Amino acid sequence: MAKTRNKVRSDGRLQAKISLGSVDGKTRYKYVYASTQKELNAKLDEVRIQLGKGLDVMAQRETFGEWAEKWLKLKRNEVSAQRYYVYQCRVKNLEPLRYMELPRIRAMDIQDIIIDSSDRYSRSVLKEIKSTARQILQFALDNRVIDYNPAASVRIPGSAAETPQRRALTETEQQWIINTPHRAQTAAMIMMYAGLRRGELVPLLWTDIDLDAGTIRVSKSMERVGNRWEVKQGAKTEAGVRTVYIPQLLVDYLSSVERGNSLLVCPDTTGKLMSLSSWTKLWDSYICELNFRYGDFSHVVVPDENGELHSFKRPKSKFAPKKLPIVIPEITPHWLRHTYITMLYLAGVDVLTAKEQAGHSDINTTLSIYTHLDSQHKIRQVNKLNDFISGCHMGVNDSDKSQKIG
């Protein structure tokens, strides 16, 4: 059992030290200070309780910031560079906790950070901040520094702004992709009809595509490191390495694409691997092209030199000196990928197959999309039940008729 020794310090405070046993032949002590004997006894009892729980009382003066650094060091080898950067940002969001000793952190300390951040960040970012705090404190808990995780009971305010939902393209918007020649069209077609992520598309080679078998082999991805991309062998996740079976429409389109001298399916203008900036320029140009072709400018008004508003006159050329306002939805690669998963759902593809085709590492990701789509397409599910019941009754009626005839 831990032993204690009391003495009076020169400043008048009482001091006690508890022997924690020997490590490498040296005795370790935990020092406790108080103004009165009653306060000292209470603190000693608290230390004994912590020791009884197996907690490392010597590590309890370590701060949240110190354990955040230890946790980030661990994560550096477990996640992509982009995810690691996000974790670093979320740790910065938790700056008010940096110098707090771990046992002193309460749920309200984290809750205050969430509340103060709710007017600046979306709901999904607030969830990331809470998750990062929870993971760091769980790391400390697993190492017996604290005996509970205060982040577990933190709540996200109901007033926090919802993250903008990714949506599938409408049938009309899908036709825009199919019918509009552009240097980005191949990228858009593959993302929409094969579900590849942007990072999986950029390093894709023609040798990864087997048009006879109707497949695309995904085995590489781009990883964001600072302001640039680096090629990573393997996809975004282990599950992301996959063979995607593509529809005939995409097979026919890819068969007609002029490949040029580059091995890359979607190279930059020089035939080399696209950079982040070259991708951004390409996609911006594509949206402008779609906007010029399909945008409805009839409701757009602009001020003249005198400040009076007039109807916007659509220029005859997209290269007109006046910049066209963007009036179409600004389609993103995420929307195209979501369109692909939505088409799998509407085609009746089971969730396990959809998970494999989309390259999701967690089936819950696919299930959440399918569940959301279910709420939008409930009538489809009811119709499937009606068709099944009708088929069953039809079989029973036919059987009854045959028995009567016999």
Side-chain angles (χ1 to χ4, degrees):
M1 183 175 176
K3 299 179 181 179
T4 62
R5 297 178 182 178
N6 299 349
K7 79 170 189 178
V8 180
R9 290 166 50 92
S10 59
D11 60 4
R13 287 191 302 163
L14 298 176
Q15 171 187 300
K17 64 178 182 180
I18 300 179
S19 173
L20 304 178
S22 297
V23 177
D24 297 329
K26 295 183 179 180
T27 303
R28 298 170 70 228
Y29 295 98
K30 170 70 175 177
Y31 290 87
V32 180
Y33 307 94
S35 300
T36 65
Q37 187 63 47
K38 182 178 180 180
E39 181 185 357
L40 185 67
N41 291 339
K43 289 187 174 182
L44 290 171
D45 288 341
E46 182 180 355
V47 173
R48 293 188 182 102
I49 291 172
Q50 292 171 347
L51 289 171
K53 292 179 178 179
L55 298 180
D56 183 358
V57 296
M58 297 300 289
Q60 291 188 335
R61 292 188 66 85
E62 295 181 1
T63 64
F64 179 87
E66 291 173 308
W67 276 87
E69 291 301 320
K70 294 177 183 179
W71 178 78
L72 283 172
K73 185 177 180 180
L74 177 68
K75 285 296 179 182
R76 183 186 290 276
N77 298 319
E78 293 183 346
V79 300
S80 68
Q82 186 170 354
R83 172 47 56 179
Y84 182 74
Y85 173 74
V86 172
Y87 280 145
Q88 286 180 308
C89 293
R90 299 300 162 249
V91 168
K92 287 182 180 179
N93 293 136
L94 294 163
E95 183 66 22
L97 303 180
R98 171 171 285 278
Y99 299 107
M100 290 186 68
E101 295 175 1
L102 289 175
R104 297 181 180 277
I105 296 175
R106 298 292 178 262
M108 198 60 216
D109 298 318
I110 305 168
Q111 188 72 68
D112 283 342
I113 293 173
I114 297 295
I115 293 172
D116 292 342
S117 302
S118 62
D119 61 345
R120 292 181 288 137
Y121 298 116
S122 68
R123 193 174 186 83
S124 64
V125 173
L126 297 179
K127 287 180 178 179
E128 285 184 354
I129 296 172
K130 174 188 172 180
S131 174
T132 300
R134 181 186 58 76
Q135 291 184 63
I136 293 170
L137 292 168
Q138 186 63 42
F139 185 41
L141 191 155
D142 292 342
N143 283 276
R144 309 302 297 161
V145 179
I146 52 178
D147 60 351
Y148 84 104
N149 190 335
S153 59
V154 172
R155 299 168 61 183
I156 305 300
S159 59
E162 291 292 343
T163 306
Q165 291 293 320
R166 300 172 187 170
R167 70 165 176 86
L169 271 61
T170 64
E171 291 185 9
T172 298
E173 291 165 349
Q174 291 174 38
Q175 288 301 314
W176 297 353
I177 306 298
I178 295 170
N179 297 329
T180 307
H182 189 277
R183 199 163 61 83
Q185 185 183 20
T186 298
M189 288 289 289
I190 293 175
M191 288 188 287
M192 185 165 72
Y193 287 110
L196 269 65
R197 302 174 176 93
R198 179 185 63 170
E200 296 168 340
L201 175 77
V202 170
L204 188 69
L205 303 175
W206 283 110
T207 52
D208 296 322
I209 301 176
D210 186 338
L211 294 178
D212 292 331
T215 61
I216 294 178
R217 177 65 181 167
V218 181
S219 60
K220 300 175 291 299
S221 63
M222 302 303 292
E223 185 175 59
R224 184 166 184 166
V225 180
N227 293 321
R228 59 187 174 84
W229 272 340
E230 289 183 359
V231 179
K232 170 187 174 185
Q233 291 303 315
K236 179 181 177 182
T237 64
E238 185 176 342
V241 177
R242 64 199 187 278
T243 297
V244 181
Y245 293 87
I246 61 178
Q248 188 61 42
L249 185 151
L250 183 56
V251 171
D252 293 341
Y253 170 81
L254 292 174
S255 299
S256 67
V257 173
E258 293 185 12
R259 302 190 180 188
N261 297 322
S262 179
L263 294 175
L264 292 161
V265 178
C266 300
D268 66 10
T269 53
T270 66
K272 296 180 180 179
L273 195 71
M274 270 197 285
S275 64
L276 271 169
S277 60
S278 60
W279 170 271
T280 301
K281 290 177 182 177
L282 172 69
W283 201 256
D284 287 346
S285 169
Y286 188 45
I287 295 301
C288 288
E289 177 72 34
L290 296 176
N291 183 64
F292 176 75
R293 285 174 175 255
Y294 307 108
D296 179 4
F297 299 94
S298 60
H299 302 293
V300 178
V301 293
V302 292
D304 61 15
E305 296 176 353
N306 299 319
E308 295 182 6
L309 297 179
H310 298 275
S311 297
F312 180 82
K313 293 183 179 180
R314 178 194 179 102
K316 296 181 179 180
S317 169
K318 64 180 178 181
F319 301 109
K322 288 187 177 180
K323 185 177 180 181
L324 281 174
I326 302 296
V327 295
I328 65 167
E330 295 196 45
I331 298 167
T332 69
H334 287 304
W335 286 22
L336 295 170
R337 178 170 160 79
H338 192 72
T339 301
Y340 172 73
I341 298 171
T342 300
M343 287 191 287
L344 291 178
Y345 168 84
L346 293 174
V349 175
D350 65 272
V351 69
L352 286 174
T353 302
K355 171 190 176 295
E356 293 173 0
Q357 290 293 281
H360 288 149
S361 59
D362 186 353
I363 194 171
N364 288 323
T365 302
T366 322
L367 277 171
S368 66
I369 298 173
Y370 265 43
T371 301
H372 176 67
L373 292 169
D374 270 339
S375 66
Q376 296 179 323
H377 301 277
K378 284 182 180 178
I379 188 66
R380 174 177 174 271
Q381 302 302 321
V382 174
N383 287 341
K384 286 170 67 176
L385 176 63
N386 287 333
D387 292 342
F388 174 76
I389 294 173
S390 297
C392 289
H393 287 176
M394 187 178 294
V396 170
N397 292 336
D398 291 343
S399 175
D400 288 345
K401 288 179 182 178
S402 63
Q403 290 178 5
K404 290 178 181 178
I405 292 172

